[in-house]
Amino acid sequence: MLEMTREEFEELVAEALDRIPPELTRLMDNVAVFVEDEPPADDPELLGLYEGTPLTDRGEWYAGVLPDRITIYRNPHVADV
C-alpha cells in the first residue's frame, strides 16, 4: 500500500482534473468532485462513483438542480499501487 495523506491525494485529483481537455470540462457543467477515504461498505473496491443525471439524459427541464456528484475514493486507489 502506498503511503499518501489525504491532502496529497486531493492535490493529485485536482491536478488530474486540471489536465482534462477544455472541450471535455465544458461538458462537466453542474458537477462537483469530492474525495472520500472509503467507498460504501458493500463495494469496498469501488474507486469512484458518479451520482446524478447523465449529460445524455439532460433535457430542457434540467435547470435549478443540485450539482451532480463525482466521488473518488482514496483508500482503494492507494491500495492498488
Side-chain angles (χ1 to χ4, degrees):
M1 180 171 183
L2 177 68
E3 292 294 326
M4 181 179 298
T5 68
R6 183 180 176 120
E7 291 78 22
E8 291 170 328
F9 186 81
E10 287 175 349
E11 186 175 316
L12 289 176
V13 169
E15 289 174 12
L17 290 171
D18 288 343
R19 295 183 72 171
I20 296 174
E23 59 271 15
L24 295 179
T25 57
R26 282 192 293 273
L27 299 174
M28 291 179 65
D29 183 43
N30 203 34
V31 176
V33 178
F34 298 90
V35 171
E36 292 185 11
D37 289 331
E38 296 292 340
D42 62 337
D43 198 354
E45 295 180 6
L46 187 66
L47 298 174
L49 181 64
Y50 178 89
E51 298 171 283
T53 305
L55 182 63
T56 55
D57 291 347
R58 296 179 185 182
E60 293 179 15
W61 60 269
Y62 189 82
V65 297
L66 292 173
D68 291 359
R69 179 181 178 110
I70 296 173
T71 306
I72 301 172
Y73 299 109
R74 181 178 70 92
N75 288 341
H77 278 89
V78 296
D80 273 354
V81 176

